Amino acid sequence: MYTKIIRLDPLNFSIDQLQEAVDLIKRDEIVAFPTETVYGLGGSAFSETAVRKIFKAKGRPSDNPMIVHISDLEMLSSIVKTIPEKIRKLCERFWPGPLTILFDKSDKIPDIVTAGLSTVAVRMPSQPLALALIKTLGIPIAAPSANLSSRPSPTQAKHVFDDLQGKIPLIIDGGSCDVGVESTVIDVHKGFSVILRPGGVNLEKLREYLPEIEMYREKNIDKLDEYSPQSPGLKYKHYSPKAEIVLIEGSIKFFEEKIVSLYSEYRLQRIIIGIIHTHKNIQISSEILDDPNCKIIYLGSLDSKTDSDNSINADKIAEGLFSTLRAVDNQKIDLVIVEGISDKKIGLAVMNRLRRAASKIIKE
């Protein structure tokens, strides 16, 4: 299959430029498209044929539910049983945007979309191309991330092409994704409020509207058989490059110490070692810096006003996370040592992805 790429400016495009994608989806084909979080691989949420094609292209397990994307609340009403007032207010506050909410699904949504669950995960993207595509199509789009399962999510059209070339007919290239990590997924309809997956809307923001909301693991809800998994991204290992990841959680000094000890341990294996740091200024010995088999990668903001500014920009780290993990593979790195960040605000989503990708976690 030939994979065509259409490059569009999300701030300057015409609806006619989306017509090819619309026609494909109406024929039960699938299309990759940009959202504000990551690129999605979408097909009609009403078509079992299209959804099966998504599973096949990604190599995605069929018991992993998908998110359904809508363009307005009228479309939401057509695919869920009810919209409680509490949830409607959340929709009005956070949509369009990177928040996915669980609802009791209507019979219009095939069971294959929800992996047989009675609930459906729904969100309204804010990316102009995604929103216009759904609105023009006139039906909701079922779409997981547009990557091979277990690989880092795609935040650029090139990432989609690298993974899915020859497997899908069309990629809409709308540039890099602004948020860089997937949407936050919440469930507020079963007598409690819980974040199933942290993402683009942080816990602190949600607590302004839902003071009682907690993280999934903190509530121990995963111990309930009927509750696992209710959300995309809970059951399987995700977000991993081919390289082994060793995640270091602690102070800058602790990270620097672990670089030395881990480098001494792993260099004897004659492998390519990567070091990803999130603070701009860290102490790395000349021996490591001069080693051609050691690659240093800075994941953070390059716009610090002075070299003495060693703060981190969690939003920039989130935006560049998946691109950096893909760069690890491009540089043929075998093992990468990663500096963790605080799990406050969007840092919670970043650390969630790194912990799920890591083979080993070392804490101070």
Side-chain angles (χ1 to χ4, degrees), residues 192 194-196 215-230 234:
F192 48 78
V194 61
I195 295 177
L196 299 177
M215 282 296 300
Y216 170 69
R217 298 292 177 182
E218 292 172 6
K219 295 279 285 188
N220 293 319
I221 292 167
D222 53 320
K223 292 181 180 179
L224 302 179
D225 290 341
E226 72 273 15
Y227 209 87
S228 184
Q230 290 281 351
L234 287 182

Side-chain angles (χ1 to χ4, degrees), residues 8-14 126-129 174 178:
L8 299 178
D9 182 346
L11 300 179
N12 184 23
F13 67 95
S14 69
S126 63
Q127 211 275 4
L129 289 168
D178 293 334

Side-chain angles (χ1 to χ4, degrees), residues 43-260:
S44 167
F46 298 149
S47 169
E48 293 188 17
T49 299
V51 174
R52 287 194 185 96
K53 289 179 180 180
I54 294 171
F55 281 124
K56 182 178 180 180
K58 283 178 60 68
R60 181 184 177 95
S62 60
D63 60 349
N64 198 359
M66 293 184 187
I67 292 174
V68 173
H69 296 68
I70 60 169
S71 59
D72 52 51
L73 291 181
E74 182 179 353
M75 191 176 288
L76 174 66
S77 298
S78 71
I79 61 172
V80 303
K81 288 183 177 179
T82 60
I83 309 174
E85 186 60 25
K86 183 178 184 179
I87 297 180
R88 183 179 293 275
K89 289 180 179 178
L90 280 176
C91 296
E92 292 172 352
R93 167 60 183 86
F94 291 103
W95 282 359
L99 180 67
T100 296
I101 304 173
L102 262 63
F103 296 86
D104 289 319
K105 79 179 186 72
S106 75
D107 292 339
K108 279 191 172 184
I109 299 295
D111 287 344
I112 191 174
V113 173
T114 63
L117 296 169
S118 62
T119 54
V120 59
V122 185
R123 90 175 186 96
M124 187 190 301
S126 63
Q127 211 275 4
L129 289 168
L131 207 54
L133 176 63
I134 302 165
K135 185 174 182 179
T136 304
L137 183 64
I139 58 174
I141 292 178
S145 55
N147 58 310
L148 292 175
S149 286
S150 84
R151 295 276 290 130
S153 296
T155 55
Q156 300 172 17
K158 180 184 183 301
H159 301 160
V160 181
F161 190 78
D162 288 344
D163 280 10
L164 300 179
Q165 178 188 6
K167 297 176 181 288
I168 62 175
L170 182 65
I171 300 170
I172 300 173
D173 182 353
S176 296
C177 300
D178 293 334
V179 177
V181 293
E182 297 87 349
S183 62
T184 302
V185 183
I186 65 171
D187 187 352
V188 296
H189 83 295
K190 291 189 175 181
F192 48 78
S193 300
V194 61
I195 295 177
L196 299 177
R197 181 183 72 185
V201 176
N202 64 56
L203 174 62
E204 291 82 357
K205 281 289 184 185
L206 286 169
R207 279 184 171 159
E208 293 176 10
Y209 294 84
L210 296 169
E212 74 279 10
I213 197 164
E214 298 288 349
M215 282 296 300
Y216 170 69
R217 298 292 177 182
E218 292 172 6
K219 295 279 285 188
N220 293 319
I221 292 167
D222 53 320
K223 292 181 180 179
L224 302 179
D225 290 341
E226 72 273 15
Y227 209 87
S228 184
Q230 290 281 351
S231 165
L234 287 182
K235 190 171 183 180
Y236 298 96
K237 184 175 180 180
H238 287 276
Y239 321 117
S240 302
K242 296 173 184 176
E244 179 181 353
I245 290 181
V246 178
L247 176 62
I248 311 299
E249 298 188 29
S251 64
I252 298 176
K253 182 179 179 182
F254 182 70
F255 179 62
E256 292 170 344
E257 291 171 350
K258 286 302 171 184
I259 289 175
V260 174

